[in-house]
Amino acid sequence: MVFWPNNLDLGIELFWGAAWLLRATNDISYLKFINTLGANDVPDLFSWDNKYAGCACSMARRSLVGNDNRFDSFRQHAKDFVCVNTTQLTLYKHPIYKRRPNLQAT
């Protein structure tokens, strides 16, 4: 018997796998599949069971590096996620700055 937690969203597992397969194979049919899985959902966290932000960042690479405008929405989602989550940190109170006092935020 296999145990699957009730809160596990199998759609995100398919999204994550399809994002990596798209990157590995360059087969655009994976993008069509991803778009059916809620690709327009706005990521708000990244964890072991919620990979929407990771998928957005992975897919955003195609927009940034490949100049492919079909991936611009992922680029915007990734940018929004990173901006919101990094500005919520109080940088100089973060533990890394206590260990390395000469480290400066830019």
Side-chain angles (χ1 to χ4, degrees), residues 24 33 36 47 85:
F33 179 66
T36 67
S47 69
N85 286 289

Side-chain angles (χ1 to χ4, degrees):
M1 183 170 163
V2 177
F3 171 74
W4 290 99
N6 291 337
N7 64 345
L8 184 63
D9 180 5
L10 296 179
I12 189 57
E13 298 298 328
L14 294 171
F15 190 154
W16 183 253
W20 279 104
L21 286 168
L22 173 64
R23 185 170 178 176
T25 65
N26 286 322
D27 183 350
I28 207 67
S29 66
Y30 289 111
L31 177 60
K32 294 174 186 170
F33 179 66
I34 287 167
N35 286 330
T36 67
L37 294 172
N40 292 323
D41 293 348
V42 177
D44 56 350
L45 70 112
F46 183 69
S47 69
W48 71 272
D49 66 343
N50 186 337
K51 299 175 186 81
Y52 283 107
C55 290
C57 291
S58 175
M59 302 292 284
R61 182 181 187 280
R62 190 86 174 232
S63 174
L64 291 167
V65 176
N67 293 322
D68 191 335
N69 63 357
R70 293 175 291 188
F71 295 84
D72 285 348
S73 64
F74 297 106
R75 181 180 180 177
Q76 188 61 48
H77 289 317
K79 180 181 174 184
D80 293 344
F81 175 78
V82 170
C83 288
V84 165
N85 286 289
T86 56
T87 57
Q88 288 178 355
L89 293 174
T90 307
L91 290 176
Y92 291 105
K93 291 183 180 179
H94 196 273
I96 193 171
Y97 294 105
K98 292 178 182 176
R99 292 191 306 266
R100 299 173 63 193
N102 61 340
L103 190 61
Q104 297 293 317
T106 58

